Structure formats: C-alpha cells, structure tokens
Amino acid sequence: MKVAVLVKTALDTGQLRVRDTVATEETPLKISDIDRNAIEEAVKLKGQDKAYAVTVLKWGPLQKKAQEAENVLREALAMGLDEAYLVADERLLNASHVVTAKALAAVVKKVGADIVLAGEATVDNYTGQIPARVAAELGWPVVTYVRELRVEGGRLIARRDLEDHVEVVEVQLPAVVSVTREINQPRIPTLLAIRAAMKKPVNRLTLADLGVEVAPRIAAAYKPLVIQRKKVVIKDGTPEEKAEKLIQYLRQEGVI
Amino acid sequence: MKALVVYPNRELLYAASTLGGEVAALVFSEREAEAVKGVAHRALVAEVDPRLPDAVAEAVVKAAQSYQVVLLPSTKNGKTVGGLVAQRLGAEFLTDVLTLRVEGGVLKAERYVFGNKAVAAVEAAPPVVVTVAPGRFQGQPPAVQTTVEKVALQAGSKMKIVSVEEKARGAVKLEEAEIIVSVGRGFKKKEDLQMAFELARVLGGQVGCSRPIAADLKWLPEEHWVGLSGKKVKPKLYLAIGISGQPQHIAGILDSRIIAAINNDPSAPIFQNADYGVVEDLYKIVPILINKLSKTKG
Ligand SMILES: Cc1cc2nc3c(=O)[nH]c(=O)nc-3n(C[C@H](O)[C@H](O)[C@H](O)COP(=O)(O)OP(=O)(O)OC[C@H]3O[C@@H](n4cnc5c(N)ncnc54)[C@H](O)[C@@H]3O)c2cc1C
C-alpha cells in the first residue's frame, strides 16, 4: 500500500524563547510530535510499497529553515519512510491554510497514495485543520482522531477517539486519516537506519512546480503569554513545617 | 457580521450575537430547531446524521453562502467539519479562539499558540470559520424572532459508523470541581495514588492527573487527564503533586484561581506557574497534609 505522511516541520516550542517578544525566527524546527505516530503507522502499513513524507515549510527565514526542514525530514526517513518532499517557497511563509492544504494535496496527487496519514494536530499551532482540508482538496473521505486502524480489502476500519466515546467507522480507500498519540509507540531509529536515511531522496518543490496559486496571507502577531501567579516557594524547614505553611497560605486565600 | 452557528449551544449563539449581524443556527432535527427558537434569527434544519462530519460539512457549505462567519464548538467533530468547510469555502479557519470581534470588516481573534507559551492575535477577512474555546463567551444571546427553514440535501456520507462504545465514566466531573488534587509521574507506583485520593477526600475535591498517568501508564481512566489534549479545568484550588509543569499540562489549568504545587525538584517549571510551591518529597509531605487537614476538618 502506498502511503503519504503529512509531516509538519514545526517550531520546537520547547526551545521557543519568550521574554518581551516571541522569537520564532531563531527557534529550531522539529518533527511535530504526533506526526511520529503517523510515520510509525505508515511504516507498518506500507508492506512492499513505498511511504513518503510531505511537508510545507511555513516558517522563515526560508534559506535557513529549508535546510533545517531537510534535516527534520531525514529523521522521518530514518524511521522507515522511503522518500521525502519538501515544498519550500517564500510565498508559503505565513500563507493561508487554504494554500498549505492545496500544496500538500498537489504533492499527493503528483506522487500518488492509497492513504494519507497525519497527526491529529501540530505541536506549534495545534489547530488540527490540515487533514480535513487536504481531504476536501483531494475529494477523499477523512477519518480524524484515529487510535486504531486496520485495512481490509480496500476498506479502512478505524476507531475514532472522541470526547465521550469511541466510534468504530468504515470508509473506502483512498482516504485521509489523522491519528492520536495513543495509536502506537513510535520507533527510535537505529544508527544504521539514520545512516541509510542520509542516502534517501529529499525532493524540493516550489509552488510553481505544483501549479498552486497563492491566496492572501493570514495576518498573525504573537505576544508572550504572561502568567500572573504569586510564585511563592516554600523550601526551608522540615516537611512538617512546610505542610503547615502551605495550609496557612491556602487558608488565607480561602480556598480550603 | 452575519453568522451561521453549527452544533448550536448558548455560548456559541451568544458569541455569534456579539458580531452584530443576523444569527442562523444549523440544526439536525425539528426538536433541535425548537431549542433555538427565540435565540437565533433563523433555524436551518438539515436532516443529516450530526455524527458524520462530511455530511454536516455538506449542509454547512450549502447554508453558508449568505453568511460571513461559520461558528462551531471546539470539539473533535466541530474541528473536522470546520476543516472541510473552510477548504471548500476557501476560508481561513481559526480554532479555539479566546476572543472574537469585528473591526473594519475583518474578524479579529486571539488564541493560544506554541504550547501555550504565546498568544497569537490573528485576523482574517470573510468568509471565516471559527471554533470557540469552551467557557470563554459568557452571556445570553438576545431574544429574537425565529423563522424555521429546511436545507435540502442529496449527498450522503462516505463514512459509515459501525458501532459506538461509551468510554468508561466514573463520577468524576473535573470541569465542575472546586478543588482538584492532581497527580503526575512523581508517583512511583499505582498504589501510591491512594494518597492523593485520600487527600482529595479530606479536601472535598477530585483527583486529576497529567497525561502520562492516564495515557502511558494507564493508572487512571482518561476522564482524569488534564491539559492541552485533556480536560480544561477551572477550580478554586489546583494542587499539582509530582507534576513537572510542561506547557501542555499548564494549558489545562490556566483558569484555576489558585495553583499550588509539590515537587522535590526546585527547578521544576511548575513553580513558575504556581501561586504556592513546596519543594519537598511528596512521599514525605502528602501523609502529613492528610493528617493535619483531617484533624482540623474533623
Ligand atoms: C502534543 C502534546 C500534547 C500533550 N498533552 C498533554 C496534556 O494534555 N496533559 C499533560 O499533562 N501532558 C501533555 N503532554 C505531555 C507533557 O509534555 C509532559 O510530558 C507531561 O505533562 C509530563 O507529565 P508529568 O509532569 O507527570 O511527568 P514528568 O515530566 O516526568 O514530571 C514528574 C515530576 O515529578 C517530580 N517528582 C519526582 N519524584 C518526586 C517525589 N518523590 N516528590 C515530589 N516530586 C517528585 C519530578 O521532579 C518531576 O518534576 C502533551 C505532550 C504533547 C507533545
């Protein structure tokens, strides 16, 4: 089965510096965590066929980040994907999600796939909208928040993890599927696999290569989230004394 | 701006009313149409299974033509419908918005980004699809006259629901709890959580947990899980025990009135996010807390 995985080369929010401003340009890229689960599932599903990663670079500056994105994709390749496609184009930085989805779908159409896998949401923006958008663009069914899946004679049977219940659903392939972190335990690539990944192809594409038109950019400005907490830390004394102090504070606040 | 509300509830209808235009509610049965009478200008009835995102999206696209904003709840199906609709309308999709207003014909909103380290101010020209973070829009939609109409549809769904399994549910309603004693990986064994349950009982609170406790270790059912991908809570006291305080956990507790933390690592990030922190081994201090509190509480 031929599988495409949407791998977001996301900002590593763990390394994001927020003081007076939010320094996105200096923040390194990494694989959006939940996409690792999509990659793992792809490697399990592909059998004799090929599985590839597609990413649209959303963060600039382009030159620097395109190189970083390539390195990130090498990690996906080391986990067992066969080939990667990186769409890097100045006009995609902060482009609307409509265009991002068009670019992703265009790569899938170009390369072909029986199933497109993605993580339920990305770790930087956490909007979770891309899988459904790509499905709409391809005209394929979408099955979101999947924690277990099985393919049987051209049909996909999946368990969707919703708020209060789990739904077992069925669709015909091709389909787009978004997975949750519960679906599997992503493998950690061996040194050998990492070396082998250096030789696998990472193809760079532009919007012109894909024939995708650019819609207006979405305007976004970021400011640090300022957390106003009292930050009183009790560190001296015996456990007994510390407990007493904590109780006192909580009584003063009127919460116990 | 004229707004179409899908899967309507009070909060969404109120948020829609603040945009200053006509408000329509897309519902899935006559009974639901009855429920929005008096709080939406129009009730549009589409007879589709609300559990099928593609069928709902089809109805929304059909009804959305005369609206500039489509509002949905921030649920998993809400987001799936939103993504499908946004792409088909060529629209921007703003998810989990905390605020929403119209200025100069443009919709402006704020949302948390980057693992809740930052707030993004985003703006988009209509048409726009929006999901609203729960609990952020408190108010009553104004009373209006409602007309009821049908949305005619042909297309079916590509997805078939084979079965539905309810998740195990206890008596836990973290969203409504006044006091939450929350446990993290600082607990070494499942049995040790008993301490937290005991402390919660003495305080008259409920037990919450970080993701690994529910998702990886499965020591507690998922209904206890607090955070970005878990429950968003707003108790008057949130007591985090043996929780490091990663941004994804903090994301669930931002609206707590007082946050207290117990952690044996003085550099644990939870202390930056807490009102009162105690640097101590939980195994030493929790039994003392139980003892002291149960004495004074009788
Ligand atoms: C996309 C995504 C979504 C996520 N969603 C969520 C979510 O919704 N909720 C969530 O919680 N996490 C979520 N996470 C995971 C999150 O990043 C952290 O991994 C998790 O919150 C850590 O849990 P913890 O604090 O219990 O464990 P740890 O980080 O392992 O922390 C344990 C803490 O216990 C302390 N400790 C150890 N022993 C003792 C002792 N004897 N006494 C006192 N203290 C002790 C340690 O100092 C440490 O600070 C998500 C991650 C991702 C990538």
Side-chain angles (χ1 to χ4, degrees):
Chain A
M1 188 162 10
K2 198 162 177 185
V3 189
V5 188
L6 310 182
V7 175
K8 169 95 183 253
T9 42
L11 289 184
D12 184 349
T13 57
Q15 297 198 49
L16 180 78
R17 278 208 310 265
V18 281
R19 257 172 236 125
D20 305 331
T21 55
V22 180
T24 57
E25 291 203 353
E26 299 158 25
T27 309
L29 298 178
K30 70 163 195 172
I31 293 182
S32 177
D33 297 57
I34 313 170
D35 294 351
R36 282 182 198 277
N37 300 85
I39 296 168
E40 178 65 35
E41 207 60 24
V43 174
K44 284 192 200 152
L45 275 175
K46 70 170 187 160
Q48 300 301 308
D49 292 332
K50 294 217 157 153
Y52 60 95
V54 199
T55 198
V56 166
L57 186 60
K58 297 284 286 181
W59 303 106
L62 192 71
Q63 281 312 320
K64 177 172 164 242
K65 290 280 195 268
Q67 192 50 51
E68 270 187 53
E70 261 195 55
N71 298 342
V72 169
L73 288 170
R74 296 263 173 228
E75 266 184 76
L77 294 172
M79 284 181 71
L81 300 186
D82 301 287
E83 200 167 339
Y85 293 83
L86 165 64
V87 188
D89 195 308
E90 196 69 53
R91 292 174 298 164
L92 277 168
L93 306 178
N94 296 317
S96 81
H97 290 93
V98 183
V99 181
T100 306
K102 280 195 177 170
L104 288 165
V107 179
V108 173
K109 275 189 223 155
K110 194 178 168 105
V111 187
D114 304 300
I115 183 167
V116 172
L117 294 174
E120 61 167 296
T122 59
V123 292
D124 47 6
N125 266 327
Y126 216 76
T127 75
Q129 56 183 290
I130 289 294
R133 281 184 181 272
V134 170
E137 202 57 38
L138 291 167
W140 296 1
V142 63
V143 189
T144 47
Y145 306 98
V146 170
R147 71 188 302 172
E148 206 180 304
L149 70 80
R150 191 168 93 232
V151 172
E152 244 174 51
R155 286 176 319 155
L156 174 101
I157 298 122
R159 291 162 66 84
R160 297 185 70 211
D161 190 350
L162 299 176
E163 281 81 3
D164 296 325
H165 56 271
V166 175
E167 215 174 68
V168 181
V169 302
E170 203 184 287
V171 294
Q172 290 290 329
L173 292 179
V176 178
V177 174
S178 82
V179 305
T180 70
R181 296 224 299 169
E182 284 69 44
I183 193 167
N184 57 34
Q185 187 66 48
R187 73 193 62 199
I188 296 165
T190 60
L191 208 60
L192 210 64
I194 294 168
R195 272 210 215 108
M198 297 311 289
K199 297 202 191 74
K200 293 181 182 176
V202 176
N203 309 293
R204 275 205 205 185
L205 299 168
T206 62
L207 286 177
D209 297 329
L210 296 169
V212 172
E213 286 302 314
V214 179
R217 283 157 190 249
I218 174 173
Y222 305 107
K223 59 172 194 246
L225 174 63
V226 185
I227 296 173
Q228 273 146 347
R229 292 284 169 194
K230 299 194 174 89
K231 298 182 196 169
V232 175
V233 179
I234 307 163
K235 43 181 183 299
D236 301 320
T238 63
E240 184 84 23
E241 288 160 358
K242 289 177 186 171
E244 195 53 55
K245 249 195 189 141
L246 177 65
I247 292 171
Q248 252 177 36
Y249 279 126
L250 298 180
R251 286 242 162 83
Q252 272 166 22
E253 292 284 355
V255 292
I256 58 169
Chain B
M1 256 180 212
K2 291 171 76 175
L4 176 67
V5 179
V6 188
Y7 299 117
N9 58 39
R10 289 260 150 190
E11 187 167 19
L12 282 173
L13 290 166
Y14 169 68
S17 75
T18 64
L19 301 177
E22 181 191 302
V23 176
L26 182 75
V27 293
F28 308 102
S29 66
E30 295 291 340
R31 193 173 50 79
E32 284 181 350
E34 208 51 48
V36 297
K37 273 203 183 144
V39 283
H41 296 93
R42 295 165 80 191
L44 305 174
V45 188
E47 272 163 9
V48 297
D49 184 340
R51 300 174 304 168
L52 298 168
D54 57 345
V56 175
E58 196 65 44
V60 178
V61 169
K62 192 126 196 219
Q65 302 307 333
S66 42
Y67 296 90
Q68 292 145 314
V69 189
V70 175
L71 279 175
L72 294 138
S74 282
T75 57
K76 290 176 178 179
N77 275 341
K79 288 185 184 173
T80 309
V81 171
L84 291 170
V85 168
Q87 193 65 17
R88 298 215 6 221
L89 297 177
E92 210 41 68
F93 181 18
L94 314 177
T95 59
D96 301 295
V97 305
L98 308 164
T99 62
L100 200 59
R101 69 198 156 88
V102 180
E103 213 180 279
V106 169
L107 203 69
K108 300 196 171 184
E110 285 176 303
R111 57 186 306 274
Y112 293 133
V113 288
F114 307 147
N116 278 53
K117 281 189 169 175
V119 180
V122 284
E123 47 186 81
V128 192
V129 182
V130 177
T131 77
V132 171
R136 287 282 166 172
F137 294 82
Q138 307 279 357
Q140 285 301 324
V144 292
Q145 284 280 345
T146 309
T147 60
V148 180
E149 295 152 57
K150 274 212 154 72
V151 183
L153 290 166
Q154 308 95 14
S157 172
K158 289 181 181 159
M159 188 164 91
K160 192 173 112 202
I161 298 175
V162 181
S163 62
V164 176
E165 301 154 19
E166 292 304 315
K167 283 190 189 172
R169 267 213 156 264
V172 200
K173 281 222 173 63
L174 283 189
E175 295 94 328
E176 291 160 27
E178 293 250 292
I179 293 182
I180 297 175
V181 174
S182 207
V183 298
R185 226 161 24 188
F187 285 79
K188 303 286 172 290
K189 300 197 301 290
K190 184 178 176 184
E191 297 75 65
D192 301 343
L193 298 185
Q194 231 17 72
M195 278 195 286
F197 277 94
E198 183 59 19
L199 183 57
R201 192 188 62 76
V202 173
L203 286 169
Q206 310 241 18
V207 172
C209 69
S210 65
R211 182 183 186 281
I213 300 294
D216 305 331
L217 300 165
K218 302 199 190 318
W219 288 351
L220 287 175
E222 285 171 23
E223 58 186 337
H224 293 269
W225 168 354
V226 174
L228 185 63
S229 39
K231 296 269 160 62
K232 313 278 182 293
V233 299
K234 42 179 192 304
K236 59 182 194 193
L237 173 62
Y238 188 85
L239 176 56
I241 308 178
I243 294 178
S244 58
Q246 296 307 314
Q248 294 89 357
H249 186 79
I250 303 298
I253 63 174
L254 288 170
D255 292 330
S256 305
R257 185 145 88 68
I258 294 290
I259 297 176
I262 295 170
N263 198 303
N264 59 2
D265 173 6
S267 59
I270 189 78
F271 292 126
Q272 294 306 309
N273 291 286
D275 297 287
Y276 301 100
V278 185
V279 182
E280 186 54 81
D281 183 346
L282 71 92
Y283 285 91
K284 291 198 184 129
I285 194 167
V286 174
I288 301 175
L289 284 171
I290 294 170
N291 194 355
K292 283 186 187 291
L293 288 164
S294 56
K295 270 194 199 127
T296 52
K297 293 224 158 182

